[in-house]
Amino acid sequence: MAINNQEMQSKILEAFNFRHATKVFDPAKKIADDEFNTILEAARLSPSSFGFEPWQILVVQTPEKRELFRDFAWGANGAFNGTAGQLGTASHFLIFLAHTDVNQTHNSEYQQKFMKEVKQLPDDVIGFINQAFQKFQEHDFKIEGQRQITDWAGKQAYIAAGNVMSVAALMGIDSCPIEGFEMDKTSAVLEQHFGIDPKVYQPAVMVALGYRADEPPFEKTRRTMDQVVSWF
Ligand SMILES: Cc1cc2nc3c(=O)[nH]c(=O)nc-3n(C[C@H](O)[C@H](O)[C@H](O)COP(=O)(O)O)c2cc1C
């Protein structure tokens, strides 16, 4: 169905106003498979610096697996409102992992394989990108070592997470981004129960998805456009 630009704009703004950080979902309402696939496609097709896709996405659907995070995922366990929280009520629960320096240091094995097999680039182009990325890491942005490279990868993962939430909202699906968890304990659970090597992948952000149990308790507040944007 053709949709004109004005209709499109109003639908986009409607979706962005509809989206709020949902604290409790209706546990009886599940996201349909095709809609959830669209949400995952939005993540998969997201942009990333140099196109290296330095993220992995875990879809945690088994209740027992979600419960493993409850004690220390204070932003998702309902501790603030006496509910089962996003962990206990979301239709779908995502954990975005950031690649560490093991995968994302210039000239890494991951990047060589990625450029060859995913990007299907010829060797000379791969050589050029290796050099450019090394300069970017060492000189331009000065991103060095495990923490900084993982944080850089995490920034890319947040773009994918943002797209997930926006696309969900466009389909009338609620979401909540979650940074309220203890990093070390999350990493340990991921290693022990999900087989995730913490040297290679670190948790970046979680996103719960589903349908709100209640309307948001507050009006959305934001700074004005003038306070946020400067034109030159
Ligand atoms: C990276 C990130 C982490 C967040 N972590 C949590 C969280 O752990 N738990 C939670 O309930 N909300 C969390 N939020 C939601 C924010 O508090 C919320 O987006 C903000 O207050 C604005 O409200 P709105 O999203 O409803 O418009 C997080 C938001 C972002 C972007």
Side-chain angles (χ1 to χ4, degrees), residues 19-21 23 75-76 86 158 176-180 205 220 222:
R19 189 213 57 75
H20 74 290
K23 308 299 179 199
Q86 295 92 333
Y158 274 63
C176 187
I178 294 151
E179 246 179 8
V205 66
K220 197 180 270 306
R222 288 295 188 269

Side-chain angles (χ1 to χ4, degrees), residues 12 16 34 58 69 84 103 105-107 119 121 123 133 136-137 163 168 177 193-194 197 201:
I12 289 168
F16 275 72
D34 61 329
L58 310 180
F69 302 97
N103 280 358
T105 302
H106 60 81
N107 293 284
K119 294 281 183 206
L121 295 171
D123 286 348
F133 190 65
F136 168 75
Q137 277 194 324
N163 283 337
H193 299 276
F194 295 71
D197 183 350
Y201 308 106

Side-chain angles (χ1 to χ4, degrees), residues 94-162:
L94 307 182
I95 301 178
F96 286 77
L97 306 178
H99 290 197
T100 68
D101 56 323
V102 171
N103 280 358
Q104 298 299 345
T105 302
H106 60 81
N107 293 284
S108 70
E109 215 177 294
Y110 167 89
Q111 290 184 352
Q112 307 316 301
K113 194 168 149 62
F114 177 87
M115 286 190 278
K116 216 175 178 58
E117 293 176 10
V118 180
K119 294 281 183 206
Q120 306 200 341
L121 295 171
D123 286 348
D124 58 333
V125 176
I126 290 176
F128 175 79
I129 294 173
N130 277 331
Q131 275 182 10
F133 190 65
Q134 181 165 358
K135 175 177 171 289
F136 168 75
Q137 277 194 324
E138 290 182 345
H139 177 270
D140 301 350
F141 266 51
K142 298 187 174 53
I143 304 167
E144 288 166 318
Q146 199 260 348
R147 178 63 197 255
Q148 289 187 26
I149 292 175
T150 308
D151 281 349
W152 169 84
K155 289 201 281 186
Q156 320 304 316
Y158 274 63
I159 295 173

Side-chain angles (χ1 to χ4, degrees), residues 2-227:
I3 175 163
N4 73 36
N5 205 269
Q6 262 179 357
E7 277 173 324
M8 177 92 81
Q9 289 175 56
S10 79
K11 279 198 182 311
I12 289 168
L13 291 181
E14 204 182 297
F16 275 72
N17 279 296
F18 163 87
R19 189 213 57 75
H20 74 290
T22 305
K23 308 299 179 199
V24 191
F25 297 90
D26 180 343
K29 289 193 190 157
K30 301 293 173 206
I31 301 169
D33 288 348
D34 61 329
E35 289 178 319
F36 188 65
N37 282 338
T38 301
I39 288 170
L40 287 182
E41 279 295 5
R44 195 177 69 91
L45 295 171
S46 293
S48 57
S49 182
F50 282 77
F52 281 138
E53 304 174 31
W55 55 62
Q56 303 298 130
I57 302 170
L58 310 180
V59 185
V60 187
Q61 295 305 85
T62 321
E64 298 77 47
K65 288 253 193 258
R66 287 194 196 172
E67 289 307 309
L68 296 168
F69 302 97
R70 180 168 292 284
D71 284 351
F72 50 84
W74 51 267
N77 64 9
F80 291 118
N81 53 19
T83 68
Q86 295 92 333
L87 274 171
T89 60
S91 165
H92 289 68
F93 197 89
L94 307 182
I95 301 178
F96 286 77
L97 306 178
H99 290 197
T100 68
D101 56 323
V102 171
N103 280 358
Q104 298 299 345
T105 302
H106 60 81
N107 293 284
S108 70
E109 215 177 294
Y110 167 89
Q111 290 184 352
Q112 307 316 301
K113 194 168 149 62
F114 177 87
M115 286 190 278
K116 216 175 178 58
E117 293 176 10
V118 180
K119 294 281 183 206
Q120 306 200 341
L121 295 171
D123 286 348
D124 58 333
V125 176
I126 290 176
F128 175 79
I129 294 173
N130 277 331
Q131 275 182 10
F133 190 65
Q134 181 165 358
K135 175 177 171 289
F136 168 75
Q137 277 194 324
E138 290 182 345
H139 177 270
D140 301 350
F141 266 51
K142 298 187 174 53
I143 304 167
E144 288 166 318
Q146 199 260 348
R147 178 63 197 255
Q148 289 187 26
I149 292 175
T150 308
D151 281 349
W152 169 84
K155 289 201 281 186
Q156 320 304 316
Y158 274 63
I159 295 173
N163 283 337
V164 157
M165 292 182 282
S166 299
V167 164
L170 282 162
M171 295 190 293
I173 294 168
D174 288 301
S175 63
C176 187
I178 294 151
E179 246 179 8
F181 57 87
E182 288 183 45
M183 191 59 90
D184 292 347
K185 289 183 180 167
T186 302
S187 216
V189 164
L190 290 173
E191 181 174 23
Q192 206 181 334
H193 299 276
F194 295 71
I196 304 295
D197 183 350
K199 289 199 188 66
V200 187
Y201 308 106
Q202 282 287 315
V205 66
M206 304 174 177
V207 176
L209 293 152
Y211 296 91
R212 62 189 73 183
D214 305 298
E215 286 308 307
F218 309 110
E219 287 277 307
K220 197 180 270 306
T221 60
R222 288 295 188 269
R223 289 176 294 156
T224 64
M225 194 66 89
D226 284 351
Q227 289 170 325

